[in-house]
Amino acid sequence: MWLSTASARSIVKGCPGYSASHVTTTSHGLHALLTLNGPPCDIYGQDIADLALTVRADTDSRLHIHISDTANTQFQIPESVLPLDKGAGTDKRHSSLQFVHTHSKTSGFGFKVLRGGKPIFDTTGHPLVFEDQYLELTSNVPADANIYGLGESPNWFRRDPQNTTITLWNRDVADPLGENVYGSHSVFMELRDKQFHGCYLHNSHGMDVILANQTVQFRVLGGTLDLYFFAGPSALSVVDQYTQLVGRPNRIPYWALGFHNCRFGYTGVGEVNQVIANYSAARIPLEAAWTDIEYMDSTRDFTFDNANYPLDKMRKQLDYLHARGQKMVLITDPAIHVNDSYGTYTRGQELDVFIKNADGSEYIGQVWPGYTTFPDWFAPNVSRWWNDELKRYFEALPIDGMWIDMNEPASFCIGSCGSGRPRDEVPTPPWVAKPPGRPLDRNNRLLVPPYAINNHETELSSKTVETIAVHANGVAEYHVHNLYGLMESRATYDFLRAYRPNVRPFVLSRSTFAGSGALVSHWTGDNAATWQDLHVSIASTFDFGIFGIPMVGADICGFYRNTTEELCARWVQLGAFYPFSRSHNSRWLRPQEPYRWPSVAESARRALGVRYALLSYIYTCYQNAVERGWPVARPLVFEYPHMTETAGNDRQMLVGDSILVSPVLLKGDRSVDAFFPPGRWFDWYNHSLIDGIGANVTLDAPLEHINVHIRGGRIVPVQQPEMTTAKLRQNDFELIVAADADGTAAGQLYMDDGETLDTPHRWLDFNFYQRSLWIDQRSGTYAISRPLAKLVLLGVHGVRDVFVNGVMATCAISASRTSTVITGLSIDLNRKSRVTFA
């Protein structure tokens, strides 16, 4: 049973905490024994008397603190599920983070993590509670703490430090504000004294993270306290340090950055073909055509509906798309229909790959096909079976990417509702009616743990696999529920790597966990066509940047509820700048492809035109994510942490560090109040200048327009936009040089073939100063086929002649009040060059 946010805030009283003894120091940290500091309180389970404390400086910017039971019986995430970077270890004297432990008569053992002598995590005054099914750890934070991350929970970006409960329990639900949804990420960053630091709890159990009473408190349903702290001090360095631990974001194919379309409810392959044609006729870019579960035979994985989506016509559609440089992505759910005539099920049964009930029988829930069982990703033969099914599927239709959905995992009934039912029975739809149930055994502490996390369902097992179901390793679902989507992601990614050894996999997953970004991309699930969800989508995009999953976006125009023309126009404008950009909505609702309304179509052409022009820049930003973890979409506070006005700003979005997007988020508005930090900001469209002073500026925003500005001091590579990324990559390069007030600017470009894993690459650095543009080769041998043909100099005037490597160039120069445009160049980007403006 879920608790209200207010009732979830009672603080455990009367627990004795622990005492530290047998402290042994090492060059990297220390070891100690923690023993109960008094009689056990057994508040939500049984206190564990003896604990082990290990502290290690993994790197000079990462500190690992692990509090575990000495008996080693508490469940911990297996290394095979989520391998963590151990770090070489660094001399604790040289670490940016220091560990100090204390003792209090009333609360016992406590500790502080210090950076520069100041605490960034401080448990003193709060007793440590460590029980078999309940862990509690509390740290003091400032009253006005700026805390970001933790989720997945649709909400505003800056968490309310005095009134927030974030629950981690993967859940199939349509994006309610402030509630737990599809994924679990127990990592947060805090901005304190104008610097960032981070904390990650490595634990797969359900938990509440509560911000109240000037504290942040973890309340966890089991496991151990396996903590990692990140020194920062910038936001980007925190994400860098976190993704070094859990895994860097995966390398996506270039085409994934294009615009995608899907709808749950297309009636057949003919309708999808017409949608593809309509995009082309409307001159709106379309990179990939997606199809939801309706393409399957009776919604069963790896099958095709012979009447509406026959395989031969699907192959023709795929060929048609490929001939035009476009792609196809189809959906797959983990639930497998229990039917003796269904080969995927019978082959899995033969290999014993499905989750079990406690009595050893198959656990049978209910999803779209009817009664279903669920792959057990811990089963010894599960990879063999999954790979074989996917191979059969891909040999029938070699699609370009996979979309794995419903992998919390979702089930429409509580418990093994299909057990004992006729094997080929299909429940009568609609399945939203009351499904078969079972009495709840309230004495079973895996079904009803003593502490009730704030899961907004009748019980933990609602809408998912029951917590007492058993995996092949003997572990109950209770302990590993939140890992299911991660494990399916790894199995799917590993198949694609083996099946197409040198092709970058593209997998989109709804359920995620720490480390998922190394395998998959993400969309934010079943959002609503509301202005609030439009706004919240920005914060959710920022959240996943912190989580190490930078390739993320919301369903443009909303998944459920009927959208409106105005809302859809504004949403396609914003969605054009999500890292992952896709239109998608549900059946039974009016279609909302952007060509359906004139104003939405024009909004799409304009905003997507900007996106496609910027794709070489966005791809460069994504490579920084691959190498350093840096988010592609960023809040202003990441770049301007010293400004209080940016701390809660989730109304604007930076793409990388150079492009500022200021969308309209309110119905009826035809202007937007946009915050401009100090410095120069140039309008994308007309190059007009705003001299930012750290204040709001009211910008005109007609219905078909989104405001986009280029940050002064930055150099942005662009290309002329096209309908597909394949054609785009054939165009010449241009550079927008937006000079700061001191006449300087810098930027970079990363290029490779955008498809393979062993491709050569090329990193270029651009620097503008003293009226010269320097093009330097940082690394790599990839041959960039197109030259630099155009320069747009913003804030640079008086150019009469252009010299390339000392030779006067034959080119055309045109000037306006704020810009100088130089065309007709042909500069080889595979060599070092200097361009001088006289």
Side-chain angles (χ1 to χ4, degrees):
M1 180 179 295
W2 61 270
L3 303 175
S4 69
T5 299
S7 64
R9 292 224 173 96
S10 61
I11 303 298
V12 171
K13 301 290 186 181
C15 288
Y18 287 79
S19 296
S21 63
H22 299 85
V23 178
T24 303
T25 61
T26 69
S27 62
H28 297 158
L30 63 81
H31 302 281
L33 178 67
L34 303 180
T35 54
L36 272 175
N37 195 42
C41 61
D42 296 335
I43 185 70
Y44 292 122
Q46 295 181 343
D47 281 25
I48 297 176
D50 297 312
L51 307 177
L53 168 67
T54 302
V55 180
R56 181 176 186 264
D58 287 351
T59 71
D60 59 3
S61 59
R62 186 176 82 217
L63 183 68
H64 182 198
I65 301 174
H66 192 194
I67 302 174
S68 60
D69 58 313
T70 56
N72 202 32
T73 58
Q74 292 288 98
F75 179 80
Q76 298 182 46
I77 299 172
E79 183 79 8
S80 60
V81 174
L82 177 51
L84 298 180
D85 173 74
K86 299 296 190 297
T90 191
D91 190 317
K92 62 189 179 187
R93 296 172 300 176
H94 302 148
S95 172
S96 299
L97 299 175
Q98 301 296 321
F99 174 85
V100 176
H101 63 94
T102 62
H103 184 84
S104 162
K105 289 183 178 180
T106 56
S107 58
F109 166 81
F111 69 88
K112 298 179 182 180
V113 177
L114 307 177
R115 180 183 60 190
K118 296 181 179 180
I120 60 170
F121 199 86
D122 177 8
T123 74
T124 57
H126 306 284
L128 167 65
V129 181
F130 200 114
E131 300 175 347
D132 58 343
Q133 282 190 265
Y134 183 75
L135 314 178
E136 182 177 295
L137 184 71
T138 308
S139 173
N140 302 305
V141 297
D144 58 349
N146 296 305
I147 293 177
Y148 311 93
L150 300 169
E152 183 180 3
S153 179
N155 214 323
W156 315 116
F157 182 52
R158 178 180 179 264
R159 307 309 190 195
D160 181 350
Q162 297 303 328
N163 189 30
T164 295
T165 296
I166 297 176
T167 299
L168 275 61
W169 185 256
N170 295 356
R171 174 171 170 239
D172 170 24
V173 66
D175 282 357
L177 186 71
E179 296 183 17
N180 54 305
V181 293
Y182 316 103
S184 292
H185 296 273
S186 49
V187 61
F188 71 87
M189 62 168 57
E190 181 188 352
L191 173 62
R192 191 183 299 190
D193 298 329
K194 301 179 182 179
Q195 292 185 327
F196 283 93
H197 63 267
C199 172
Y200 167 59
L201 173 59
H202 187 59
N203 188 304
S204 60
H205 291 81
M207 70 180 76
D208 288 334
V209 186
I210 298 173
L211 306 180
N213 306 314
Q214 293 184 236
T215 64
V216 56
Q217 183 178 81
F218 291 97
R219 299 182 179 184
V220 192
L221 296 183
T224 67
L225 292 169
D226 197 2
L227 295 154
Y228 293 85
F229 295 92
F230 312 103
S234 71
L236 296 187
S237 58
V238 171
V239 181
D240 180 7
Q241 293 150 16
Y242 173 63
T243 56
Q244 182 186 32
L245 174 71
V246 301
R248 299 294 197 196
N250 69 100
R251 297 176 68 191
I252 56 170
Y254 199 98
W255 62 263
L257 292 173
F259 186 72
H260 305 254
N261 182 82
C262 188
R263 174 173 164 80
F264 178 24
Y266 285 134
T267 58
V269 67
E271 184 177 7
V272 178
N273 287 340
Q274 188 59 56
V275 168
I276 296 167
N278 290 346
Y279 268 93
S280 179
R283 301 298 296 164
I284 298 172
L286 178 63
E287 196 68 26
W290 296 50
T291 307
D292 213 308
I293 57 173
E294 59 271 7
Y295 80 87
M296 304 176 188
D297 177 18
S298 301
T299 65
R300 295 184 297 186
D301 281 347
F302 314 127
T303 65
F304 299 90
D305 178 351
N306 286 329
N308 299 308
Y309 289 89
L311 182 56
D312 62 333
K313 291 187 178 180
M314 292 290 283
R315 287 172 175 160
K316 289 180 180 178
Q317 184 184 92
L318 182 62
D319 291 342
Y320 177 91
L321 289 166
H322 284 177
R324 288 156 179 77
Q326 296 168 301
K327 308 295 180 180
M328 177 189 285
V329 182
L330 301 180
I331 195 170
T332 298
D333 293 338
I336 301 300
H337 187 208
V338 176
N339 188 303
D340 290 335
S341 66
Y342 177 36
T344 296
Y345 170 69
T346 58
R347 289 186 291 269
Q349 190 180 49
E350 290 170 2
L351 291 173
D352 193 22
V353 301
F354 299 124
I355 294 175
K356 300 290 197 298
N357 290 304
D359 63 6
S361 62
E362 284 180 0
Y363 181 92
I364 302 176
Q366 182 185 343
V367 192
W368 300 115
Y371 293 123
T372 57
T373 189
F374 299 84
D376 178 1
W377 305 112
F378 289 101
N381 293 324
V382 71
S383 293
R384 173 183 166 190
W385 166 77
W386 190 245
N387 291 347
D388 180 60
E389 297 307 316
L390 285 174
K391 182 179 178 183
R392 293 168 184 264
Y393 179 53
F394 272 75
E395 287 179 348
L397 188 68
I399 58 176
D400 300 290
M402 289 194 66
W403 172 19
I404 52 177
D405 191 14
M406 305 288 284
N407 54 346
E408 293 72 35
S411 180
F412 299 159
C413 68
I414 299 178
S416 188
C417 60
S419 294
R421 311 291 298 189
R423 298 193 63 74
D424 295 339
E425 177 183 348
V426 177
T428 303
W431 297 318
V432 292
K434 289 184 178 179
R438 55 96 176 94
L440 176 60
D441 180 1
R442 295 189 175 275
N443 293 317
N444 189 320
R445 299 201 321 167
L446 292 183
L447 286 173
V448 186
Y451 175 75
I453 60 173
N454 203 38
N455 179 43
H456 286 247
E457 298 290 347
T458 56
E459 57 172 288
L460 284 182
S461 300
S462 294
K463 300 181 70 175
T464 189
V465 170
E466 198 170 30
T467 53
I468 58 173
V470 180
H471 291 267
N473 57 356
V475 174
E477 173 71 7
Y478 174 91
H479 301 288
V480 298
H481 168 78
N482 288 338
L483 298 174
Y484 197 90
L486 169 66
M487 296 186 73
E488 185 194 18
S489 297
R490 186 172 301 282
T492 305
Y493 179 88
D494 287 349
F495 162 77
L496 290 171
R497 283 293 310 270
Y499 185 71
R500 295 171 174 165
N502 196 31
V503 177
R504 300 179 201 178
F506 178 76
V507 184
L508 186 80
S509 178
R510 189 168 75 173
S511 183
T512 58
F513 192 76
S516 286
L519 308 166
V520 297
S521 304
H522 177 66
W523 90 108
T524 60
D526 297 347
N527 59 356
T530 66
W531 290 92
Q532 176 178 275
D533 278 27
L534 169 66
H535 185 170
V536 169
S537 74
I538 301 176
S540 296
T541 301
F542 294 161
D543 286 345
F544 275 87
I546 295 173
F547 301 158
I549 310 176
M551 186 62 171
V552 61
D555 282 346
I556 292 171
C557 299
F559 177 74
Y560 73 94
R561 298 188 187 178
N562 280 315
T563 194
T564 65
E565 180 175 359
E566 181 187 8
L567 175 60
C568 199
R570 294 308 190 187
W571 210 321
V572 76
Q573 292 165 10
L574 171 61
F577 297 93
Y578 295 151
F580 173 65
S581 185
R582 183 184 69 165
S583 173
H584 182 220
N585 78 317
S586 183
R587 59 184 176 181
W588 307 305
L589 302 174
R590 69 170 65 104
Q592 61 186 38
E593 297 88 358
Y595 54 75
R596 298 283 178 177
W597 301 272
S599 67
V600 182
E602 182 59 24
S603 295
R605 282 188 289 266
R606 292 186 190 181
L608 290 172
V610 179
R611 178 189 183 86
Y612 273 66
L614 282 168
L615 275 189
S616 61
Y617 167 76
I618 296 173
Y619 190 62
T620 300
C621 293
Y622 195 88
Q623 186 61 25
N624 277 319
V626 170
E627 297 183 13
R628 303 178 181 180
W630 293 355
V632 175
R634 305 173 191 171
L636 277 166
V637 71
F638 280 16
E639 295 292 323
Y640 299 93
H642 56 287
M643 304 191 69
T644 58
E645 297 90 342
T646 66
N649 186 334
D650 53 18
R651 301 174 303 279
Q652 294 168 275
M653 176 190 294
L654 281 166
V655 181
D657 66 358
S658 305
I659 300 295
L660 179 62
V661 180
S662 304
V664 169
L665 301 174
L666 295 174
K667 181 179 179 180
D669 279 6
R670 295 298 182 266
S671 65
V672 61
D673 290 333
F675 181 79
F676 285 91
R680 287 179 163 186
W681 298 87
F682 295 91
D683 184 280
W684 170 271
Y685 307 95
N686 61 22
H687 302 155
S688 60
L689 172 65
I690 291 177
D691 279 314
I693 58 171
N696 284 346
V697 176
T698 300
L699 305 172
D700 289 337
L703 181 57
E704 297 166 348
H705 180 76
I706 183 168
N707 281 281
V708 181
H709 286 82
I710 306 162
R711 183 180 178 183
R714 299 297 187 267
I715 299 176
V716 179
V718 297
Q719 291 170 287
Q720 286 299 305
E722 297 285 355
M723 295 296 102
T724 64
T725 60
K727 292 205 69 171
L728 174 78
R729 286 175 62 97
Q730 298 172 18
N731 289 344
D732 293 345
F733 283 92
E734 307 170 13
L735 290 181
I736 301 175
V737 180
D740 211 340
D742 61 1
T744 65
Q748 54 188 337
L749 172 66
Y750 173 86
M751 286 297 293
D752 59 23
D753 69 11
E755 298 177 0
T756 64
L757 291 162
D758 66 357
T759 173
H761 77 277
R762 188 174 295 274
W763 268 110
L764 303 179
D765 289 312
F766 306 119
N767 287 282
F768 179 79
Y769 57 93
Q770 296 179 353
R771 296 181 68 86
S772 289
L773 171 67
W774 298 84
I775 302 172
D776 293 311
Q777 306 292 318
R778 187 195 307 175
S779 66
T781 60
Y782 177 75
I784 298 177
S785 61
R786 306 308 304 169
L788 174 60
K790 180 179 177 180
L791 292 170
V792 178
L793 308 180
L794 305 182
V796 179
H797 308 288
V799 176
R800 299 181 304 276
D801 297 304
V802 178
F803 296 85
V804 178
N805 297 321
V807 179
M808 182 180 289
T810 302
C811 57
I813 302 173
S814 60
S816 69
R817 187 170 59 88
T818 58
S819 66
T820 300
V821 178
I822 302 163
T823 58
L825 300 170
S826 184
I827 299 173
D828 184 359
L829 290 174
N830 300 294
R831 55 172 293 192
K832 181 175 182 177
S833 296
R834 179 185 182 185
V835 185
T836 304
F837 308 97

